[in-house]
Each structure stands twice: as structure tokens, then as C-alpha cells.
Amino acid sequence: VQLQASGGGLVQAGGSLRLSCAASGGTFSSYGMGWFRQAPGKERVLVAAISRSGSSTYYADSVKGRFTISGDIAKNTVYLQMNSLKPEDTAVYYCAADVSAPNWGTRKLWTSYDYWGQGTLVTVSS
């Protein structure tokens, strides 16, 4: 499966962005899907994930209540809606697919994910 991430950009603190991850060569609902981010000099961390079934989601504490992960099967696309953005949200955001994810759960380690999009830069100014 190929993943194409888009939607990043420059936004002021308090603003919103919606990231998109378009899948091709496979159906995203066949995988656990995650959004990771990596800031300069820091490790790649999971910010949100959704299970194969769509019934389970995970959010990092730092984004809980501000970010929402969702999927559109018809468009074969996973989204990350980001509201109330903060300067500390600045990072390159990657979408990823976990082939071996459980049906009703998500996995948090980036090493569990098999396919990756190219990354999209989100910059939040103060």
C-alpha cells in the first residue's frame, strides 16, 4: 500500500489544520492506521491511531481533546483534524499503516508500522 500525506502548513497558535492520508494499492480499513510526528532532534512519536475496525482510537496525552483521527472508506483516506494548535505541535507528521494490528486495538511503537507516507510539515507560530 502507498500512503500520501498532505495538509500541513503554517498556522498561528490556536488555529486548525486537517491532515489527509490517501491510501492506494490497498484499503486503509485493512490496517491499523496511525499518525506520528517528529520534531527536530526528537524521536518519532505516535499522536493518534485508529483500529482496523474503526471502533478504537488512541491519542497521546499531549493532543487529547484537540486532535481527532477519522477515516473515510469511500475516499480511502484517513484524516487528522488538529484544533487549538500550539507551537509545541510543530513537527513533521507522518501517516503509517500497521499490517499486523489487532482488529479492535492499536499499537504505539513506530517499529510496528509497515508502510509510511512521506511526511507533511506542520509549523505553529506563537
Side-chain angles (χ1 to χ4, degrees):
V1 63
Q2 291 80 44
L3 303 176
Q4 180 74 34
S6 62
L10 174 63
V11 64
Q12 288 188 330
S16 298
L17 283 174
R18 187 177 76 161
L19 305 183
S20 299
C21 177
S24 60
T27 304
F28 80 81
S29 57
S30 298
Y31 312 103
M33 297 296 297
W35 282 98
F36 289 77
R37 69 185 181 189
Q38 187 166 21
K42 295 189 177 181
E43 65 179 10
R44 189 171 298 190
V45 296
L46 181 68
V47 295
I50 188 165
S51 63
R52 294 172 186 264
S53 64
S55 62
S56 177
T57 55
Y58 163 84
Y59 296 97
D61 287 344
S62 59
V63 306
K64 208 169 288 184
R66 300 187 297 122
F67 290 12
T68 303
I69 188 170
S70 63
D72 184 330
I73 292 177
K75 296 183 178 179
N76 206 18
T77 299
V78 176
Y79 301 99
L80 184 68
Q81 178 66 44
M82 306 186 296
N83 299 328
S84 302
L85 283 161
K86 304 175 180 180
E88 52 263 43
D89 294 318
T90 295
V92 177
Y93 284 71
Y94 300 89
C95 62
D98 180 356
V99 173
S100 303
N103 284 340
W104 292 282
T106 59
R107 299 200 289 182
K108 299 175 182 59
L109 295 178
W110 68 269
T111 51
S112 299
Y113 290 72
D114 306 280
Y115 300 102
W116 292 83
Q118 82 286 6
T120 185
L121 176 62
V122 172
T123 304
V124 184
S125 63
S126 57

